[in-house]
Amino acid sequence: MSTNEKHQFQAEIAQLLDIVIHSLYTDKEIFVRELISNAADASEKLKFLQTSGTEVVDPDAPLGIAIVTDEAAKTIAITDAGIGMTHGELIDNLGTIAHSGSRAFLEQIKANKGDASLIGQFGVGFYAAFMAADKVTVNTRSCKPGEEGWKWESDGKTGYEIEPAANLPRGTTILLHLKEEEFAKADRIREIIKRYSNFVPFPITLNGEAVNTVQAIWTRNKSDIKEEEYTEFYEYMGHDSEAPAYRLHFNADAPLSIRALLFVPSRSIEQLGMTRAESEVHLYCRKVLIESKAKGLFPEWLRFLRGVVDSEDLPLNISRETMQDSALMQKLNRVLTGRFLKFLDEEAKADPENYAKFFAEHGHCLKEGVAIDYEHRAALSKLLRFESSLTEKGKQTSLADYVSRMPDEQKEIYFILAANRESAEASPYFEVLKAKGFEALFLYDPRDEFVMDHLREFEGKPVQAAEKADLALDQEFTALSEEEAKGLAAFIKETLGERVHEVRASKRLVGSPAVAVESEKFMTSSMRRILKAMNREGGQSFEAKPDLELNPNHAMMASLEKMRHTDAALAAKVAEQIFDNARVAAGLLEDPREMLSRMNELLVQLLAK
Ligand code: ADP
Ligand code: MG
């Protein structure tokens, strides 16, 4: 054997290298990840040989990955004490296609115009070295006893040369003669290692200093992991010094191989201001980062999640652009989302107080899910919490508990949107529910009404705005006869004219003299108020034209009925005021100026008596 053998790259490798050198400009830094992965693989294999009792060279050499940068020489060297390569392995592994990956990678690269970051998944990661280097030197000695060391060298163009190298320790050093200084700078390399390779399970040093400190604990058994390790991991991954609200660590083998470690931060950054949270769940394949903040891994409404998902099932033919839409990603999304919602449900049952804290921070995201995600709506609806007429102030109930308290004759789940508990309890819409002993959910956020609107039902029970409840109290006409009530209603309708849709006697009022009720079927007063606010410029289309219901058992109505025969002008003024009061209660009165001047006139007339 001559001391300096020249070899040609296999045609496919030559073609691959041509593209790597001439067409890949983005993500050049991933060569560091690829070479570290290879070093870790080689170390892992050595560990396996040793534990299975195979004899290896330098059995006591510690397994670690040493990286040395030299700015003056414009080089970077990556050294491991792994299995190394024999002469034959050098040719097989670094000169021919041992894997079918390169053709697949070439096709992907052509289709995706130069996204190099996936090169490792095609089993051709080593060649990423040529993105950054114009010459690569590999010094390697196999762990097999009796093997010599070899030096492999190439400019990535004309082929490679192999010659013997004496006195090498077990393992491999890859030396890159860099095209640019960037990758000879220690700070830059440290940043790259932290980003992609922080969880590689062997100690990595950079110019002698330890770099990766945090372990990829998600691949370990839960029972072997100490609480402090989770804490340290979360602080690192979540950039959060406060303990998380929840942690879910789970493994699945079917339908997909998944190792996931997910955290819910104890605070929502969205509650603090206008910022929208961005999911910080990173996608790994065997502890190596594939995509940080992976898009499409979870639905948008779980954007508060942080952590990692590691799946060995990521196929070769996947690119970052298509990843989001790929069937695999959708499958991952479905499995992960379902698992996480199940977890929340269990936690909510096991520790309702802790769940209440979680819900106060992140509940708005779950509500968003109810409104927009049909697939998970049923699971999400179990996780909703609202204050109700039967909870204490500030405490909330689940819909399931609400349903369990429903009396037999109650067929629907009722809610009232109000500014706070006091106004919900004082709402005229609540009167009939209260009289019948039906519970009402109290909603304080206008968006909640949209959530209810999309929810439509829970466990087969329709969800209904109290305003729309088709309920009547069994009561007689006491203050007014049915006839009188009709006459009074006609008088008020005539007085109010087009501002009101219909005036009629009510069957649902106890203490209030009158109530304004939205007249359109699929609308409520509060919904109309919101639509109107959103459509300020848009003109009249959302102007309310409610029905007015009169309480035939209220003394005010009896007096008014009398007055309209004796002093029709004053009765009309009072009718106007009753209407405005009802609109105030329904949140429909926007400009109170007219009402105030009328009220003053009424006071003047009252005082003159
Ligand atoms: P992959 O890592 O997917 O197999 P690469 O192109 O990264 O593809 O590497 C090709 C092969 O070269 C590896 O499978 C391995 O056999 C060999 N190899 C690369 N780096 C090392 C190393 N540091 N030590 C031992 N073998 C290595
Ligand atoms: Mg590799």
Side-chain angles (χ1 to χ4, degrees):
M1 200 179 290
S2 77
T3 55
N4 190 343
E5 313 161 26
K6 288 193 190 339
H7 295 258
Q8 289 302 307
F9 284 118
Q10 207 185 31
E12 268 186 329
I13 298 264
Q15 204 189 342
L16 172 79
L17 279 166
D18 188 56
I19 287 183
V20 165
I21 293 167
H22 295 111
S23 317
L24 300 183
Y25 303 109
T26 59
D27 305 308
K28 278 190 182 182
E29 64 190 32
I30 57 97
F31 81 89
V32 178
R33 173 186 76 182
E34 293 308 323
L35 297 180
I36 291 176
S37 287
N38 286 349
D41 288 348
S43 305
E44 200 78 68
K45 285 177 195 159
L46 188 101
K47 212 164 123 185
F48 179 77
L49 289 180
Q50 273 190 309
T51 47
S52 59
T54 310
E55 199 191 328
V56 297
V57 175
D58 299 342
D60 300 324
L63 289 173
I65 300 166
I67 300 176
V68 175
T69 55
D70 185 337
E71 251 183 278
K74 261 172 64 173
T75 60
I76 178 170
I78 294 139
T79 300
D80 64 70
I83 53 167
M85 283 175 274
T86 63
H87 180 271
E89 285 165 345
L90 268 176
I91 293 172
D92 286 348
N93 297 339
L94 304 186
T96 54
I97 303 273
H99 332 259
S100 60
S102 79
R103 169 155 291 140
F105 179 68
L106 284 175
E107 277 160 19
Q108 276 297 313
I109 282 290
K110 278 179 203 148
N112 290 297
K113 294 177 210 73
D115 180 357
S117 69
L118 298 149
I119 192 167
Q121 290 180 54
F122 293 86
V124 288
F126 171 78
Y127 301 101
F130 289 99
M131 289 199 286
D134 47 25
K135 190 165 88 177
V136 176
T137 309
V138 179
N139 278 291
T140 185
R141 175 148 167 233
S142 168
C143 65
K144 291 176 192 152
E147 287 290 340
E148 290 303 316
W150 296 96
K151 175 176 159 185
W152 177 104
E153 195 162 75
S154 172
D155 59 5
K157 291 174 204 145
T158 49
Y160 57 93
E161 295 180 5
I162 299 182
E163 59 184 88
N167 301 323
L168 291 180
R170 181 195 78 208
T172 305
T173 294
I174 317 265
L175 175 67
L176 277 69
H177 306 267
L178 297 162
K179 296 183 212 175
E180 291 141 37
E181 263 155 48
E182 180 186 354
F183 298 118
K185 292 193 184 353
D187 286 346
R188 177 80 173 102
I189 295 299
R190 186 175 301 106
E191 175 194 308
I192 300 171
I193 298 171
K194 287 242 176 226
R195 177 168 166 78
Y196 294 102
S197 310
N198 206 34
F199 300 108
V200 165
F202 295 95
I204 301 176
T205 59
L206 176 61
N207 302 331
E209 265 175 55
V211 183
N212 63 334
T213 46
V214 185
Q215 291 186 346
I217 56 175
W218 65 84
T219 56
R220 284 165 46 195
N221 275 339
K222 275 199 256 188
S223 50
D224 299 342
I225 302 171
K226 293 196 201 82
E227 205 54 36
E228 305 89 82
E229 292 181 281
Y230 278 125
T231 306
E232 183 200 21
F233 181 81
Y234 176 67
E235 280 177 3
Y236 174 81
M237 281 307 257
H239 310 287
D240 189 357
S241 53
E242 223 174 309
Y246 286 127
R247 174 182 82 217
L248 170 61
H249 185 180
F250 80 96
N251 296 342
D253 293 312
L256 290 167
S257 133
I258 297 173
R259 307 272 172 272
L261 179 51
L262 303 171
F263 298 91
V264 178
S266 56
R267 279 170 209 268
S268 161
I269 60 160
E270 295 185 0
Q271 301 284 29
L272 302 172
M274 301 296 284
T275 5
R276 193 174 162 80
E278 202 188 351
S279 165
E280 285 188 35
V281 182
H282 311 296
L283 183 60
Y284 284 74
C285 176
R286 297 166 204 263
K287 301 181 193 173
V288 174
L289 181 69
I290 300 301
E291 195 186 356
S292 71
K293 300 182 185 178
K295 293 249 170 357
L297 203 50
F298 282 96
E300 261 292 296
W301 47 266
L302 284 178
R303 58 187 174 274
F304 52 80
L305 284 176
R306 303 195 183 161
V308 303
V309 170
D310 195 317
S311 176
E312 297 182 0
D313 288 329
L314 295 171
L316 297 180
N317 62 348
I318 199 163
S319 86
R320 198 182 291 168
E321 283 78 9
T322 56
M323 191 122 74
Q324 209 172 331
D325 315 310
S326 78
L328 175 86
M329 208 62 172
Q330 284 171 24
K331 206 162 152 193
L332 263 176
N333 183 313
R334 201 169 307 128
V335 173
L336 290 165
T337 305
R339 183 66 184 82
F340 181 71
L341 293 182
K342 184 168 154 254
F343 164 79
L344 279 184
D345 193 44
E346 289 160 1
E347 289 293 322
K349 284 182 185 131
D351 186 348
E353 254 165 65
N354 199 34
Y355 183 77
K357 278 189 216 149
F358 156 81
F359 194 77
E361 289 293 322
H362 304 287
H364 66 284
C365 286
L366 301 186
K367 289 175 182 174
E368 190 181 309
V370 171
I372 64 177
D373 195 327
Y374 177 77
E375 188 182 344
H376 297 289
R377 187 168 294 154
L380 276 165
S381 64
K382 293 189 201 156
L383 299 169
L384 294 175
R385 296 293 181 271
F386 296 104
E387 211 173 303
S388 91
S389 54
L390 293 185
T391 65
E392 283 169 49
K393 184 183 169 87
K395 293 268 181 320
Q396 299 186 311
T397 177
S398 67
L399 294 171
D401 286 346
Y402 177 107
V403 167
S404 74
R405 289 187 291 264
M406 278 168 69
D408 284 344
E409 66 272 26
Q410 184 182 346
K411 301 294 173 228
E412 300 173 312
I413 297 171
Y414 298 108
F415 66 85
I416 294 172
L417 181 71
N420 49 45
R421 186 173 186 98
E422 288 69 28
S423 34
E425 282 173 338
S427 164
Y429 307 132
F430 182 49
E431 290 178 9
V432 65
L433 301 180
K434 197 175 171 191
K436 284 186 171 290
F438 293 176
E439 183 173 1
L441 298 171
F442 292 163
L443 278 43
Y444 306 134
D445 182 343
R447 289 172 294 186
D448 288 348
E449 185 159 2
F450 285 97
V451 173
M452 292 311 209
D453 199 40
H454 283 94
L455 185 57
R456 286 176 192 278
E457 56 130 60
F458 181 80
E459 290 179 2
K461 315 269 188 236
V463 174
Q464 181 74 277
E467 179 179 358
K468 292 287 180 192
D470 186 16
L471 295 174
L473 294 168
D474 316 316
Q475 60 177 6
E476 287 155 22
F477 286 73
T478 54
L480 288 180
S481 71
E482 206 167 341
E483 251 357 65
E484 287 169 324
K486 266 196 190 134
L488 180 61
F491 169 77
I492 295 179
K493 168 65 185 157
E494 204 182 295
T495 306
L496 299 175
E498 283 307 299
R499 282 171 291 163
V500 69
H501 178 255
E502 188 188 294
V503 183
R504 59 174 176 263
S506 180
K507 290 184 179 137
R508 60 161 123 193
L509 293 177
V510 180
S512 298
V515 64
V517 182
E518 170 59 43
S519 54
E520 271 177 46
K521 192 161 181 222
F522 296 108
M523 184 73 89
T524 63
S525 300
S526 46
M527 191 86 92
R528 183 176 289 284
R529 194 169 68 229
I530 296 162
L531 290 172
K532 213 177 144 192
M534 292 191 323
N535 195 40
R536 258 193 216 298
E537 262 81 86
Q540 297 293 301
S541 52
F542 290 111
E543 203 55 61
K545 194 175 167 186
D547 292 340
L548 185 68
E549 293 190 1
L550 310 174
N551 184 349
N553 297 311
H554 201 284
M556 191 192 287
M557 292 302 144
S559 308
L560 185 60
E561 167 61 11
K562 278 195 201 101
M563 184 189 274
R564 79 179 176 97
H565 298 292
T566 57
D567 186 347
L570 183 58
K573 223 176 255 179
V574 172
E576 295 263 4
Q577 189 60 39
I578 288 170
F579 180 52
D580 276 357
N581 289 353
R583 286 202 291 174
V584 170
L588 290 173
L589 190 78
E590 281 183 5
D591 186 354
R593 276 173 300 186
E594 196 192 326
M595 178 186 88
L596 287 177
S597 55
R598 182 190 325 107
M599 186 106 83
N600 287 331
E601 285 169 37
L602 285 169
L603 288 174
V604 168
Q605 275 176 284
L606 174 71
L607 293 168
K609 296 232 158 153

